[in-house]
Structure formats: structure tokens, C-alpha cells
Amino acid sequence: QVQLVESGGGLVQPGGSLRLSCAASGSILSIYDMAWYRQPPGKQRELVAAITNGGRTNYADSVKGRFTISRDNTKSTVYLQMNSLKPGDTAVYYCAADMRLLATQRNTYWGQGTQVTVSS
């Protein structure tokens, strides 16, 4: 009934940039908070950045000043602009959206993940 489709991952050299996108589709009534998480190899999933439907943002300390989260509510899409990438940013990146669907309660939905590898 709902899909979160991520794109934009890949291999990049240290210091480079990538832009991730995540588009929500389906029987969506409302989208509230949207966020990006990541799971480095062998580690737990962690919050990278989040944005409310009013545009308030918060970031993990490790990415402040380098990553920017934004959203386009007309397209039900959240973005993550990642600059000055470091090898430590290597992870599978997941988007998450707090949504209410047709005939359901508010819940959190996840994308399938996109690999980001920072390596020379």
C-alpha cells in the first residue's frame, strides 16, 4: 500500500558529495516527520538527520555542517545532501517516514536502503 523508494547511493571518494532521495507513494493521507538513518558494517542503525513537516531539522553530531536534510512536501520526497564525505560515512542509508495511510493509524515506514561507500 505504500512504498519508500530511495536513490542516489554509490561509490564516492573521500571529500566528495552525494545526494540521496526518498520518494513516498501509495495511499498516503499525511506525512509527518521524515528521517535518514544509516547502518555501518557490523554496527547498529543510527539516526543521521530528521525533518518535521514544518521544516525543523536535527542532525547527528558526526554529520553536522556536512549533511543537509530537506523535503519537498508536494512530491512526498525527502533528500539528504552529503558533502565532505569521509570513509566513516560508509553505510547502508535508510529513509523513514512517519505517515498515516488510508484506513490506518499513524506509523513509521522504511525504505529498502541504499549503499553509500566512501573510499579512494
Side-chain angles (χ1 to χ4, degrees):
Q1 292 185 339
V2 66
Q3 277 191 311
L4 290 173
V5 179
E6 298 137 339
S7 60
L11 172 64
V12 63
Q13 292 187 343
S17 297
L18 283 175
R19 189 191 193 210
L20 305 183
S21 300
C22 174
S25 62
S27 302
I28 301 169
L29 292 180
S30 299
I31 302 178
Y32 305 98
D33 297 349
M34 303 184 84
W36 288 95
Y37 287 75
R38 67 186 181 187
Q39 187 164 15
K43 297 184 179 180
Q44 291 186 333
R45 193 174 298 189
E46 61 184 12
L47 176 68
V48 176
I51 185 168
T52 67
N53 58 2
R56 286 181 300 175
T57 60
N58 69 284
Y59 297 91
D61 287 343
S62 59
V63 307
K64 282 181 181 177
R66 299 189 298 121
F67 291 10
T68 302
I69 189 171
S70 61
R71 63 192 284 172
D72 184 338
N73 292 331
T74 66
K75 297 180 179 179
S76 300
T77 300
V78 63
Y79 305 96
L80 186 68
Q81 177 67 42
M82 305 186 293
N83 298 329
S84 303
L85 282 160
K86 305 175 181 179
D89 296 317
T90 295
V92 178
Y93 283 71
Y94 299 90
C95 73
D98 189 16
M99 301 189 289
R100 184 178 177 194
L101 309 183
L102 186 64
T104 70
Q105 295 181 340
R106 184 169 169 172
N107 208 343
T108 300
Y109 297 85
W110 293 85
Q112 80 284 358
T114 185
Q115 178 69 46
V116 171
T117 302
V118 184
S119 175
S120 55

